[in-house]
Amino acid sequence: MERGHLPIMPQEIIEYLCMSSPELVVDGTSGGGGHTSLLSEAIPHGRVLAFERDPTAAEKLSSRFTGTNVSVIYSSYTGIPAIMEKGSFPQAGGALFDLGLSSIQLDTPDRGFSHRTTGPLDMRFDRSQGKPASEVLRAMTEKQIADAIYRYGEEGRSRAIARAVKQSRRLLTTDDLAEAVRSVVKGNPVKPLARVFQAVRILVNGELDHLEKLLSEMYLWTGSGCRVAVLTFHSLEDRMIKLHFRDSEHFRQNDPPWMLPAAAEKRANPRARSARLRLGVRL
Ligand SMILES: C[S@@+](CC[C@H](N)C(=O)[O-])C[C@H]1O[C@@H](n2cnc3c(N)ncnc32)[C@H](O)[C@@H]1O
């Protein structure tokens, strides 16, 4: 049975984004709709624009929020400027980005995101576009794979793992990739497995390219004083957000610039353990 996705730091995020009752809030990664629903309740007289890149998730969100103050849009958050301009929406007074993937995606074996379940090695957020992970990896050289595992997964054994990936006789399922990792890791393979799967997911979905485009255009659709909250899960994306809020001519860091989930939340929700909430303000 499909389990839900628990929104991370819900209270902190709603307080930060909705304190001044903004007219329009953007949820750039609506996923299971947990944060979207809280935003919708927090600004009953305002509107929430909920973006989602995964068509399966977007369809569920559309039925869930029919007849509410939420407009669901099946699009990457890189489409925000064009969609807001086309719809003549006012500039946003708040924006949320909860990066990465949802528990629903992780727990669905045929999406291929998890090393814990058997499924096709796919990992695309949007299966109507691009190529599945199995094909992406097959087309890469050993060095390219090693670089991706090192950069996006921060895994030290990247070269040996990349060699095993290239040498594996079959690379069609999550088990095939997991087997390649296990073949070179001595000791408990859980962390290297998680890092390699994260790296391949970031690679297949071009996640950092989308993030870079989002950041470079965010000034176009945010109004002065707009508060932006970003939940990050690994150091590369966290650093990109930090530098943008710190150095961009259009944004400043909030004081405090970031927050971590409380101990009780980390105990109740394992996914919260690696989360960091970055806070910025549009100048
Ligand atoms: C961590 S989940 C969001 C969970 C959500 N905050 C909730 O409470 O249910 C991240 C979601 O962002 C989506 N996503 C990833 N990259 C995206 C992008 N570039 N644009 C829009 N959605 C994206 C994923 O498909 C996934 O559903």
Side-chain angles (χ1 to χ4, degrees):
M1 201 182 84
E2 183 177 284
R3 278 176 287 156
H5 176 98
L6 276 180
I8 292 176
M9 302 181 77
Q11 215 170 318
E12 294 89 336
I13 289 173
I14 298 306
E15 257 173 41
Y16 183 66
L17 294 182
C18 299
M19 191 116 84
S20 59
S21 302
E23 190 185 343
L24 184 83
V25 173
V26 168
D27 183 347
T29 52
S30 189
H35 288 113
T36 307
S37 167
L38 296 170
L39 290 167
S40 155
E41 285 163 18
I43 51 161
H45 304 296
R47 177 142 293 274
V48 180
L49 292 188
F51 287 77
E52 174 52 55
R53 188 180 173 186
D54 176 343
T56 313
E59 205 180 311
K60 283 191 195 157
L61 289 163
S62 289
S63 353
R64 175 171 173 185
F65 291 112
T66 301
T68 70
N69 61 344
V70 177
S71 306
V72 176
I73 297 146
Y74 159 46
S75 161
S76 167
Y77 50 58
T78 54
I80 295 174
I83 285 160
M84 286 190 53
E85 195 183 354
K86 196 167 157 216
S88 304
F89 289 105
Q91 289 193 309
L96 169 66
F97 300 91
D98 178 4
L99 303 178
L101 80 170
S102 71
S103 309
I104 303 163
Q105 292 164 325
L106 189 67
D107 294 341
T108 305
D110 82 333
R111 302 299 300 268
F113 284 112
S114 174
H115 62 86
R116 294 178 196 279
T117 53
T118 303
L121 191 57
D122 193 314
M123 297 203 205
R124 282 172 295 175
F125 287 134
D126 184 347
R127 285 177 286 184
S128 70
Q129 295 186 21
K131 290 192 165 59
S134 53
E135 284 183 40
V136 171
L137 289 172
R138 209 173 299 135
M140 290 168 75
T141 65
E142 187 179 313
K143 178 165 186 325
Q144 287 170 329
I145 296 174
D147 289 349
I149 292 174
Y150 186 74
R151 180 153 190 255
Y152 303 143
E154 297 171 273
E155 169 54 51
R157 284 153 287 191
S158 55
R159 284 177 194 218
I161 293 172
R163 196 170 316 124
V165 168
K166 268 326 245 188
Q167 283 171 357
S168 45
R169 277 184 291 126
R170 244 175 58 117
L171 199 60
L172 293 173
T173 68
T174 49
D175 290 344
D176 298 334
L177 179 60
E179 188 42 46
V181 176
R182 283 197 198 94
S183 73
V184 294
V185 172
K186 294 186 187 75
N188 189 340
V190 170
K191 282 194 176 149
L193 280 168
R195 293 190 197 115
V196 170
F197 273 66
Q198 169 185 291
V200 176
R201 189 203 80 220
I202 291 174
L203 172 79
V204 164
N205 292 291
E207 286 180 43
L208 299 185
D209 295 338
H210 281 248
L211 192 55
E212 206 170 282
K213 184 163 164 54
L214 168 76
L215 293 175
S216 68
E217 296 176 348
M218 200 155 60
Y219 75 96
L220 292 170
W221 53 269
T222 46
S224 173
C226 174
R227 292 179 155 202
V228 183
V230 189
L231 276 166
T232 68
F233 296 87
H234 65 89
S235 62
L236 267 182
E237 61 191 17
D238 188 63
R239 191 174 150 77
M240 284 169 71
I241 311 296
K242 176 178 101 175
L243 294 183
H244 191 73
F245 288 159
R246 199 190 68 185
D247 300 340
S248 154
E249 59 180 304
H250 302 294
F251 288 87
R252 66 167 171 83
Q253 299 190 87
N254 180 59
D255 182 15
W258 52 271
M259 295 168 80
L260 295 177
E265 181 174 0
K266 288 191 196 173
R267 276 195 299 276
N269 182 5
R271 206 175 159 271
R273 286 179 203 152
S274 51
R276 182 190 293 262
L277 181 63
R278 283 268 165 208
L279 304 170
V281 184
R282 174 80 161 89
L283 295 170

